[in-house]
Amino acid sequence: MTADLLAAAAAAPGFMPPDEGRALYEAARAVAVPGPLLEIGSWMGKSALYLAAAARETGRQVVTVDHHRGSEEHQPGWEYHDPALVDPLVGRVDTLPAFRRTIAAAGAEDVVVAVVTRSELLAPLWSTPLALLFLDGSHTEESARRDQDAWVGKLAVGGTLAVHDVFPDPADGGQAPFGVYSRVLASGEFTELPGTGSLRLLRRTG
């Protein structure tokens, strides 16, 4: 079953390279503290399946948080806009149907719980300590900082924070996730674990 989920994750649409997806899976599988795995930013479910593979092995649940209206780069006129994802009834991007198909086709509906909302709206309602938090939402400075402020404090001591698209060199990509990673590391409450590509992993120690 794990092999099937990993194969489905690799084949699913999305922007996560296979080595980073596998590293996310390994990080989620290795977390020793209890609690769910929660991701901010799901797109069409690719990363959710990597997390689902670990959750299936370890008896956890994956919670995905996404408004499914797309980030800035997915809007009309931007680089990653796909007109096929626009709901003609409302004239806005809607990735939820594609996400649901991805999760259902992989047989992962029993371990993946989708919450359709903006992360900052859910955060005040959330009290369960997280075993793993994966930050991969909108990459503007404002939204990345908002996700950090809302969710990092909900990670259990001993839990793992995963931040995607961390590029120290501005020539390689946007700097908002790198800012999150840098601020969290500078807090003194986390130690860095080996990362892969643009995926950075940190363990909460205090």
Side-chain angles (χ1 to χ4, degrees):
M1 293 294 287
T2 297
D4 290 345
L5 282 175
L6 290 174
F15 308 104
M16 175 168 276
D19 59 339
E20 295 180 12
R22 185 75 186 212
L24 179 64
Y25 155 72
E26 296 287 358
R29 188 175 67 164
V31 176
V33 297
L37 316 174
L38 187 143
E39 72 168 6
I40 305 297
S42 303
W43 189 231
M44 297 188 199
K46 188 179 190 73
S47 56
L49 290 184
Y50 282 113
L51 294 173
R56 179 71 56 73
E57 286 188 43
T58 57
R60 301 183 192 269
Q61 295 292 130
V62 178
V63 179
T64 68
V65 185
D66 196 313
H67 50 66
H68 287 284
R69 294 301 188 190
S71 300
E72 289 78 7
E73 65 269 23
H74 304 133
Q75 305 310 314
W78 290 76
E79 181 179 4
Y80 293 105
H81 178 63
D82 182 352
L85 295 175
V86 175
D87 181 345
L89 292 180
V90 297
R92 299 178 66 189
V93 170
D94 185 2
T95 58
L96 181 60
F99 171 87
R100 293 197 67 180
R101 286 193 294 270
T102 297
I103 302 305
E109 290 181 307
D110 60 321
V111 292
V112 176
V113 178
V115 180
V116 184
T117 188
R118 295 186 175 276
S119 72
E120 69 272 18
L121 298 181
L122 178 64
L125 308 177
W126 189 276
S127 59
T128 303
L130 302 172
L132 180 139
L133 171 64
F134 178 43
L135 294 180
D136 193 25
S138 175
H139 291 348
T140 67
E141 180 62 34
E142 178 185 0
S143 63
R145 186 181 288 269
R146 187 168 59 235
D147 288 341
Q148 175 191 346
D149 292 344
W151 288 97
V152 170
K154 300 181 184 299
L155 191 63
V157 173
T160 297
L161 172 65
V163 186
H164 196 221
D165 293 330
V166 175
F167 299 108
D169 185 346
D172 295 328
Q175 293 295 283
F178 178 68
V180 171
Y181 156 79
S182 300
R183 287 189 296 272
V184 169
L185 197 56
S187 72
E189 297 183 351
F190 287 79
T191 58
E192 189 161 14
L193 303 172
T196 299
S198 72
L199 181 70
R200 296 294 187 273
L201 302 170
L202 303 103
R203 177 159 297 152
R204 186 170 188 178
T205 55

